[in-house]
Amino acid sequence: IWLFLFVCFWWLATPAIVAFFRTGPLGALPLPMIPADNNSEGVFGDQFGATNALFSGLAFAGVVWALYHQRRGNQGESMIAIGEYLTAKHNRATRKTVLNLRDDIARKPWTVLTTDEEHAVRDVCGQYNHVGLLIRRGALPWEYLDELGNTPQKCFEVASEYLRKIRSEPGNQWRLLNFDWLVEQLRA
């Protein structure tokens, strides 16, 4: 930051310094770099074209550097946020409900599920769909797959009938595909 302030100071101070030397108490001194007449001020300014290009290049490099570090910071924040999201009490409870349904699904048809059980399945599908989307888009690193364990696969077994049901509705055939992708990646 000190370098930035230093450069800004000199960038802003240069015209004042030139004006001081041209019109101030030292105005009578012949300074070869500073033009004596107004007609040659354009030529004088053109002498600093390389300096202008240098500072423009440094500014562009600074923007690229800031964007790179912001993306890395966002990735860390995304991991923290998704971790908090998945470990929230309500979300843990819905996953537990779905995992408890795993044995029941084999014994009773999907249509016998209670409304709360069906909402839990829907919520879990949404949770893992978000995780899959974040990993696919690069907001979460691939290593996050290791932290998920086999819970998404178990939930997918329960939710597969629900997914078939909602995808059979018109306009929903592409719904929650990131959950499918996530489970495929975990199986690989």
Side-chain angles (χ1 to χ4, degrees):
I1 185 118
W2 290 108
L3 178 64
F4 173 74
L5 293 174
F6 178 78
V7 169
C8 286
F9 169 77
W10 283 110
W11 182 70
L12 293 171
T14 301
I17 293 170
V18 169
F20 174 77
F21 279 113
R22 284 189 64 209
T23 59
L26 300 176
L29 291 176
L31 297 173
M33 278 189 60
I34 301 174
D37 61 341
N38 290 338
N39 293 334
S40 60
E41 285 181 353
V43 174
F44 174 71
D46 289 342
Q47 293 174 359
F48 297 99
T51 306
N52 186 20
L54 172 69
F55 285 117
S56 295
L58 288 174
F60 179 70
V63 168
V64 169
W65 179 80
L67 289 174
Y68 171 75
H69 284 285
Q70 182 180 9
R71 179 175 167 86
R72 286 184 54 197
N74 288 345
Q75 201 172 46
E77 290 171 15
S78 294
M79 284 193 61
I80 292 169
I82 199 68
E84 289 173 355
Y85 172 69
L86 290 175
T87 58
K89 187 176 182 180
H90 169 72
N91 292 334
R92 281 195 328 260
T94 56
R95 280 195 305 280
K96 186 176 180 180
T97 300
V98 171
L99 291 174
N100 289 339
L101 286 174
R102 205 165 157 221
D103 297 329
D104 294 343
I105 287 290
R107 290 190 300 248
K108 63 182 181 181
W110 175 258
T111 55
V112 182
L113 293 179
T114 67
T115 305
D116 289 340
E117 292 171 337
E118 195 169 335
H119 284 286
V121 171
R122 183 195 65 214
D123 290 349
V124 168
C125 287
Q127 292 170 22
Y128 286 124
N129 189 62
H130 284 76
V131 171
L133 176 67
L134 291 172
I135 292 173
R136 284 180 91 169
R137 300 286 187 220
L140 284 174
W142 284 88
E143 292 80 25
Y144 194 75
L145 288 172
D146 297 333
E147 295 180 27
L148 295 175
N150 62 355
T151 306
Q153 295 164 316
K154 292 177 181 177
C155 291
F156 188 78
E157 291 172 14
V158 175
S160 58
E161 187 63 36
Y162 168 74
L163 293 170
R164 272 194 287 280
K165 176 184 158 190
I166 63 165
R167 289 178 185 157
S168 66
E169 299 169 1
N172 284 342
Q173 65 269 22
W174 304 110
R175 198 153 170 216
L176 299 170
L177 287 179
N178 292 309
F179 186 21
D180 292 8
W181 176 86
L182 179 67
V183 171
E184 288 173 18
Q185 298 304 311
L186 289 168
R187 288 180 181 157

